[in-house]
């Protein structure tokens, strides 16, 4: 029986693998959210600069627009983080 895996060993290895993958996705999510908030606020700053130089294109400040930019920033960094985590898992 040397060199053979029993059912417990194989299941234990698979469980540890999934725990590691989920832990890495959790870390990437926790890293992406604050970075996304900062990214969204910087997007709002860029929009303010554009509105300053081109006032005919601006419609004024709206909190909903700022919230949308922050959500866009979170979504962009979260997507980037998930793709990086997937690629990092498979490129050993």
């Amino acid at each position: 029986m040397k060199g053979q895996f029993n059912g417990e060993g194989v299941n234990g290895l698979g469980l540890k693998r999934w725990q590691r993958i989920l832990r890495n996705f959790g870390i990437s999510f926790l890293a992406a959210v604050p970075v996304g908030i900062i990214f969204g606020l910087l997007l709002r700053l860029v929009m303010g600069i554009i509105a300053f130089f081109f006032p005919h294109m601006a419609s004024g400040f709206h909190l909903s627009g700022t919230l949308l930019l922050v959500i866009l920033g979170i979504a962009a960094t979260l997507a980037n983080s998930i793709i990086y985590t997937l690629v990092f898992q498979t490129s050993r």
Side-chain angles (χ1 to χ4, degrees), residues 10-29:
V10 173
N11 288 338
L13 289 175
L15 182 63
K16 287 183 182 181
R17 180 175 178 241
W18 281 107
Q19 286 175 345
R20 187 181 70 240
I21 290 171
L22 289 176
R23 191 184 101 236
N24 286 342
F25 276 116
I27 290 170
S28 67
F29 178 78

Side-chain angles (χ1 to χ4, degrees):
M1 301 279 186
K2 228 177 193 179
Q4 293 180 356
F5 289 112
N6 58 7
E8 288 179 6
V10 173
N11 288 338
L13 289 175
L15 182 63
K16 287 183 182 181
R17 180 175 178 241
W18 281 107
Q19 286 175 345
R20 187 181 70 240
I21 290 171
L22 289 176
R23 191 184 101 236
N24 286 342
F25 276 116
I27 290 170
S28 67
F29 178 78
L30 289 175
V33 170
V35 173
I37 292 171
I38 293 169
F39 185 64
L41 293 175
L42 288 174
L43 281 173
R44 177 64 186 116
L45 179 67
V46 168
M47 294 294 230
I49 292 170
I50 292 171
F52 180 76
F53 287 108
F54 300 102
H56 62 281
M57 295 176 67
S59 63
F61 176 78
H62 299 284
L63 191 59
S64 62
T66 303
L67 181 64
L68 182 67
L69 286 173
V70 169
I71 291 172
L72 179 70
I74 291 172
T77 56
L78 189 59
N80 187 21
S81 178
I82 288 172
I83 290 171
Y84 177 78
T85 303
L86 286 174
V87 169
F88 183 74
Q89 291 291 326
T90 59
S91 66
R92 292 284 175 188

